[in-house]
Amino acid sequence: MISGIFGILVAMLVVPATAGAAPSTPSGGASAAGWAASHDGKQPYPGVAVTWDVPIRMSDGTILRANIYRPADGAGRATTKRDPVIVNMTPYTKLITAVGAAVTQHPVLEPLLRQLVTAVNQVATPIRDFADISQLTNTLRDGGAKTFMVDLDLVRSGYTQVVVDVRGTGFSQGKWDVFQSREQADTTEVIDWAARQRWSNGKVGMSGVSYSAINQIQAANKNPKALKAIFPVEPGGDLIRDIVAPGGALGAGFLPLWLTLVNTTKMVPNVASMLNGTFDWKWLADRISDPLTFYPQLLAALVTPDVKSVPPQLDELLTDNSEPRKAWQDNAERITTPTFIYGGWFDLFTNSEVRMYNKIPLPPGHKQLMMGDGYHLTIGGGQQGRRGTPPRLDVLQKAWFDKWLKGIDNNVDSYGPVNLKQVGYQWISAQQFPRAGMSRQRLYLGDRRSGTAPYAVRDGSLTTATPATRGRMTVSPGLLTLCSRDSAQQTAGALALFPFCAEDARIPERNALTFTTAPMRTTRSVSGYTNLHLNTVMDATDGYWTATLNDVAPDGSSKVISSGQVMASLRGYDRSRSQFAPNGDVIDPFYNLTLASRQPVTPGTPVGVDIGLLPTEALIKPGHRLRVDVFAMNVPRGLPLRPLLNESQLKPQHIQLDPQRPSFVNLPLSTPIS
């Protein structure tokens, strides 16, 4: 969600695509060269005509405000032709969208910004060991900002774009409804409105990043007649499990910053209306009545001392089938609109992106999935628009809309259907995710030293055979995860500027139990979901377990490729919505995450805990090792809700080694480890 705001502060630069043979590889081949030419070449309209702050009345009388961008001639006169319409619903005020598009796509400013990016890369070289600024500058070339803002080339090619401030934000009236039923009704009403305008041909698509991507999923699951295609970039599909309380711990690194951002920008008034005497006093009254949306819930999560004192506004977030819990489900199984999902292995919404793609009941090609290995801020991560990589996102978006809104036979439906960036390595294409041909294998946690992590709390081993030893391995809550890949993920990628945190886990591993395999003899892939089953003992009635799966290089560097977390008392999962291996092991536990389903721990008594790790696609090369890290805290990715934190008393937590009740990780491997 912050990714869009970041996008307006920087330039999104264009890099020529590379031609190839056919859209059967990540590059897209010759077809992709055609998509790039269609986007970057001369367009039928030289200009863009903008109509500002157009009122759209909702069924309850609330007025939303929209900016409308239409193809125009050189004098700025809008075409009289009816065109397809692209709708973008934003909570970040369409003023930011307008300014960002004007700056980053200006014929004079854009070349200057190119030079600035080049200069920053050159200046960054001496300090790259400390701060990898190139990650951000490389991101500028991938076309992602245009999917957040307005792609003026897309408009000039014959599309009308409508950017709308969602209810209670920007210049729109009402109270911010944060993805709930009234906001969802607004989106479908805007689609219907756009389809009926004199400049519309009745066909509507949707675009946008993060918040705007979630709006797309929510609209598509209602299948409005006019909606013909969506291109959601980094969409969430289950907000409780994605960012609010992943594993039952508050997303403390992201939520406060994001809520502050939206609640601040929604207070920015329409200065032009103040000057011309048309100021909207209803807008002001709505803002005064609800200045700090969702802050009461956030504060309650941080200060409520015990479960019995949880206030109603927080309780409904922790109750199944409450209004927000129901509204925040993607219901992707209802979607029949052609959908192209872009996500990332370290995005805020990794949990949902793959899951939504698999639930959509459309044939491959009509639905497509692209997963990079960047963060929420680094859309594309500088990994697209180059030889052997996928086309830029703005190029793909136009090709997608050309196919489904204009009926152009450009082969984009033959692309992919799944394109995946192997963490730290290259792009690959597949027919599905998880990829076919993976074998499930258990690797067991033991206390025999691997010799690879002497700095850890305990350096253990990961083996194919069940260890015969008994005993305990103890880990206490620590704060070194503040410098970790999970911290970079929770800050939407801001911490990824510091590679010694985001790219190497040896600092946080000083607060962890580590379990490491012998070196790999051959290359193998990890593709899919991983689950860590722990036989635990706690000294309190609750505890917080977090884990990562790492690729350990011969030089000792430890790169996280996946992670997961769960509160011990919220370890229960819905079997009907979880996935299991052929041997019965759970591999993707769908936690209930409700107060009613809590299972307080009996101190001193062994209890099994399953930690579901996010899906991943990774390559483990010869000489590298796999490692599992286990922590008792994961700030800021997760901070236990205050009642549960108090119950845990921040006491040490133990893995009980017992051959009869072993702890193990269940992995999806292309080649089993022998």
Side-chain angles (χ1 to χ4, degrees), residues 205-403:
M206 292 189 75
S207 68
V209 177
S210 191
Y211 196 107
S212 303
I214 297 170
N215 287 141
Q216 296 178 57
I217 296 293
Q218 291 179 331
N221 70 33
K222 297 169 184 60
N223 294 295
K225 182 178 179 180
L227 187 61
K228 304 300 182 183
I230 62 173
F231 196 92
V233 175
E234 299 178 337
D238 186 339
L239 301 189
I240 289 290
R241 292 171 179 82
D242 290 343
I243 58 171
V244 176
L250 180 71
F254 176 74
L255 284 176
L257 293 174
W258 175 66
L259 287 173
T260 300
L261 172 68
V262 180
N263 279 302
T264 299
T265 56
K266 78 180 187 183
M267 303 301 290
V268 177
N270 187 337
V271 177
S273 71
M274 298 170 69
L275 297 176
N276 63 25
T278 61
F279 183 72
D280 186 349
W281 293 101
K282 175 67 165 57
W283 173 92
L284 181 59
D286 289 340
R287 293 302 185 273
I288 292 173
S289 69
D290 185 32
L292 297 172
T293 306
F294 262 85
Y295 263 90
Q297 292 91 326
L298 176 63
L299 292 175
L302 293 172
V303 304
T304 302
D306 50 53
V307 172
K308 66 181 180 181
S309 302
V310 170
Q313 65 265 37
L314 178 59
D315 182 69
E316 71 171 353
L317 299 183
L318 301 171
T319 301
D320 206 13
N321 292 320
S322 65
E323 158 62 11
R325 287 289 285 259
K326 290 188 294 184
W328 292 350
Q329 295 296 312
D330 56 71
N331 295 311
E333 67 278 1
R334 304 175 186 170
I335 294 175
T336 59
T337 303
T339 302
F340 193 123
I341 294 175
Y342 176 89
W345 302 126
F346 305 107
D347 182 35
L348 291 166
F349 301 112
T350 307
N351 170 64
S352 287
E353 288 154 352
V354 168
R355 198 184 302 273
M356 284 190 292
Y357 172 80
N358 286 331
K359 286 165 62 178
I360 294 173
L362 288 172
H366 290 236
K367 63 173 183 177
Q368 296 201 18
L369 175 69
M370 179 175 287
M371 296 291 290
D373 69 352
Y375 300 90
H376 203 63
L377 278 175
T378 56
I379 307 171
Q383 302 161 355
Q384 294 176 226
R386 294 159 177 75
R387 187 177 299 276
T389 71
R392 302 190 322 264
L393 280 177
D394 53 347
V395 169
L396 283 169
Q397 178 177 259
K398 182 179 184 298
W400 192 249
F401 290 146
D402 282 350
K403 168 65 181 180

Side-chain angles (χ1 to χ4, degrees), residues 194-210:
R196 292 184 286 104
Q197 299 308 298
R198 57 179 175 77
W199 31 259
S200 170
N201 71 356
K203 295 182 179 181
V204 177
M206 292 189 75
S207 68
V209 177
S210 191

Side-chain angles (χ1 to χ4, degrees), residues 414-432:
S414 298
Y415 185 54
V418 173
N419 287 288
L420 310 168
K421 180 73 160 54
Q422 295 178 306
V423 178
Y425 293 105
Q426 63 186 6
W427 285 92
I428 60 173
S429 290
Q431 292 300 306
Q432 64 186 57

Side-chain angles (χ1 to χ4, degrees), residues 5 17 59 61 103 106 178 183 217 242 255 280-281 339 363 369 388 401 449 493-494 502 552 557 601:
I5 300 304
S59 57
V103 171
H106 191 278
V178 198
E183 181 178 294
I217 296 293
D242 290 343
L255 284 176
D280 186 349
W281 293 101
T339 302
L369 175 69
F401 290 146
R449 296 184 182 277
V552 182
S557 59
V601 174

Side-chain angles (χ1 to χ4, degrees), residues 43 180 184 256 335 337 341 345 398 410-411 512 587 610:
Q43 302 298 345
Q180 296 182 71
Q184 293 185 40
I335 294 175
T337 303
I341 294 175
W345 302 126
K398 182 179 184 298
N410 57 11
N411 285 331
I587 56 176
D610 287 288

